[in-house]
Every structure is written in C-alpha cells, then in structure tokens.
C-alpha cells in the first residue's frame, strides 16, 4: 500500500510544477497565523507532516526557527523544497516516510499537517496516524491540522478524501488532545477554484 501511495505522489511532484498543484499557496498564511497565536519561542521544534514542497519552513527559517523537520512520502516533493532553499536546506531535517508506517524517534512541540490527514480513508490508516501523533508529541505539544471541510472537495490529486468539521477532527485525534481553536478557510487554488478547509489547533493534555 505504501508503495502504491508513494508512486502516486512521486508522479505528482515529478510531472507538475509545484506552483500549479491545487494545494499551492504562495505564502502559508493560515499556518503562520496559527503559529503566531501560539506565541512559541523560535527554539520550539516543529514537524510539517506531509509538508511536500510547502514554503512553511522557508518562512519559519526567516523568522529564526531552528528545529524544523519536514516529512513526506514523496522524495521529489522534498527535492523541490531543498532546491528552492539552497544552502538553507541543510538547516532542516528531511524525512521520506509514510506517516501511517513511521515511528517517530522524538517528540515535537508542534505537529503541523495541512491537507494530509484527509487522504487517510481507511480506519486502520487513521489509527496508525494517531499512534504516530501520540508518539511524536508530548503533553503541552500543539497540533495544527487542516483538512477539507464537509463542503470541501470529495477528491484531491485524483484520490478520494474524507471531509471533517472540527468536532469530527477532534474525535479522530482522540481526547488526549484538547481542541483550542478552530476556523474555516476558503483556499483559492492556482486555477481560481475555491476549496473549503477546516483548521483545528489542539493542545496535547
Ligand atoms: C495536498 S498535499 C499538501 C502538501 C503540503 N502540506 C502543503 O500544504 O502544501 C499532500 C501531501 O501529503 C503527502 N502525503 C500523502 N500521503 C502521505 C503519507 N501517508 N505519509 C506522508 N506524506 C503523505 C503527499 O506527498 C503531499 O506532499
């Protein structure tokens, strides 16, 4: 299963320009606003799960963050980000992993996931994600998850997705995580389409 998923995502990043995919954002504004609200020191550790070629870590490096990890199933996605960052890429830990198989070797102050969890359409995958989330965070860790909202797209990148409101996402991460904030976002795709996202910020109890 992992191999089929990897091949799918590898092909996406090999064949499409990073700024042409539907999830592209010139600046990851909602994530940066969510992080600002948390008022964390720049020494806090953050993992961008399924970070792909997102520029979130570029912006955080500029702000002085120093303990950043990007995990993605697709090596070509990380190659795009590394090429963009040049020498700065060496300041980031890059991990090519399927989050539903990965066993975190450390705990992070912030777990960030934009548009990854909603691809986990099987219960077993979601339970595996939750196990990784529990291992990769500690009491007090913040968890930022953005998924398609109930009125969001039914598919993305040719794959089916699950859609969530805040209460449904809270059930998925379990009562080990307290919901602190939630809001909706209308993302504009490079093609001018609109996609409804549900954002949630949790704090591990
Ligand atoms: C819709 S894109 C979002 C990318 C990035 N988070 C952003 O906001 O630009 C989904 C990303 O999740 C990655 N992905 C999908 N399934 C994954 C899995 N099981 N484990 C790790 N990464 C995965 C894909 O390779 C892709 O980069």
């Amino acid at each position: 299963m992992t191999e089929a998923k990897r091949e799918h995502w590898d092909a996406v990043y090999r064949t499409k320009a990073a700024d042409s995919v539907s999830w592209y954002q010139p600046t990851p504004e909602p994530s940066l606003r969510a992080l600002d609200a948390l008022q964390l020191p720049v020494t806090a550790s953050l993992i961008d799960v399924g970070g792909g070629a997102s520029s979130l870590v570029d912006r955080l490096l500029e702000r002085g963050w120093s303990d950043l990890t990007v995990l993605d199933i697709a090596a070509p996605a990380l190659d795009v980000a590394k090429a963009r960052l040049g020498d700065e890429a060496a300041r980031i830990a890059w991990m090519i992993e399927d989050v539903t198989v990965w066993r975190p070797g450390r705990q992070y102050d912030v777990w960030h996931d934009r548009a990854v969890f909603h691809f986990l359409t099987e219960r077993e995958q979601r339970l595996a994600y939750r196990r990784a989330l529990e291992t990769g965070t500690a009491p007090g860790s913040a968890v930022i998850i953005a998924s398609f909202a109930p009125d969001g797209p039914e598919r993305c990148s040719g794959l089916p997705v699950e859609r969530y409101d805040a209460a449904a996402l809270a059930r998925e991460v379990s009562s080990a995580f307290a919901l602190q904030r939630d809001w909706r976002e209308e993302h504009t795709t490079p093609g001018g389409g609109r996609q409804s996202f549900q954002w949630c910020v949790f704090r591990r109890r």
Side-chain angles (χ1 to χ4, degrees), residues 5 9 13 23 50-52 54 72-73 97-99 114-116 119:
K5 277 189 280 180
W9 288 105
Y13 284 101
W23 56 92
S54 165
D72 203 280
I73 197 169
E97 299 279 358
D98 177 341
V99 65
R114 173 177 178 265
V116 184
F119 288 107

Side-chain angles (χ1 to χ4, degrees), residues 2 5-6 8-10 12-13 21-25 28 31 48-55 71-75 77 95-101 112-120 125 129 148 156-157 159 197 199:
T2 289
K5 277 189 280 180
R6 194 185 302 283
H8 171 86
W9 288 105
D10 280 5
V12 169
Y13 284 101
V21 291
S22 58
W23 56 92
Y24 173 74
Q25 318 168 97
S31 304
D48 194 6
V49 174
S54 165
S55 61
L71 176 147
D72 203 280
I73 197 169
M95 302 179 73
I96 303 161
E97 299 279 358
D98 177 341
V99 65
T100 65
V101 177
H112 176 270
D113 164 349
R114 173 177 178 265
V116 184
F117 184 76
H118 61 207
F119 288 107
L120 308 182
Q125 297 171 328
Y129 180 103
F148 282 151
C156 178
S157 186
L159 299 174
F197 272 83
W199 286 80

Side-chain angles (χ1 to χ4, degrees), residues 9 12 32 38 57 78 90 103 161 182 202:
W9 288 105
V12 169
L32 292 171
L38 289 170
V57 287
L78 302 186
R103 298 214 167 86
V161 298
D182 63 88
F202 300 96

Side-chain angles (χ1 to χ4, degrees), residues 111-189:
W111 174 290
H112 176 270
D113 164 349
R114 173 177 178 265
V116 184
F117 184 76
H118 61 207
F119 288 107
L120 308 182
T121 52
E122 291 168 25
R123 185 174 151 70
E124 262 319 304
Q125 297 171 328
R126 293 194 293 274
L127 290 176
Y129 180 103
R130 191 197 296 178
R131 281 194 293 275
L133 175 64
E134 285 171 355
T135 308
T137 55
S141 292
V143 177
I144 302 170
I145 301 184
S147 74
F148 282 151
D151 56 337
E154 292 177 7
R155 300 179 76 81
C156 178
S157 186
L159 299 174
V161 298
E162 294 286 331
R163 298 176 293 174
Y164 297 93
D165 60 16
L169 269 181
R171 279 194 298 277
E172 290 292 340
V173 296
S174 89
S175 57
F177 298 85
L179 180 61
Q180 291 206 310
R181 284 181 61 212
D182 63 88
W183 68 98
R184 286 170 49 97
E185 177 217 356
E186 293 299 316
H187 167 64
T188 304
T189 69

Side-chain angles (χ1 to χ4, degrees), residues 25 27-49 54-61 63-69 108-114 140-145 180-181 183 199-203:
Q25 318 168 97
T27 309
E29 290 292 353
S31 304
L32 292 171
R33 276 200 300 274
L35 288 167
D36 284 345
L38 289 170
Q39 296 190 312
L40 294 165
V42 293
T43 50
S45 54
L46 176 145
I47 182 163
D48 194 6
V49 174
S54 165
S55 61
L56 176 62
V57 287
D58 309 39
R59 301 290 82 80
L60 294 179
L61 282 178
R63 291 166 173 225
W65 286 59
S66 56
D67 188 350
L68 300 170
T69 301
Y108 300 89
D109 297 317
V110 185
W111 174 290
H112 176 270
D113 164 349
R114 173 177 178 265
S141 292
V143 177
I144 302 170
I145 301 184
Q180 291 206 310
R181 284 181 61 212
W183 68 98
W199 286 80
C200 288
V201 178
F202 300 96
R203 180 76 72 175

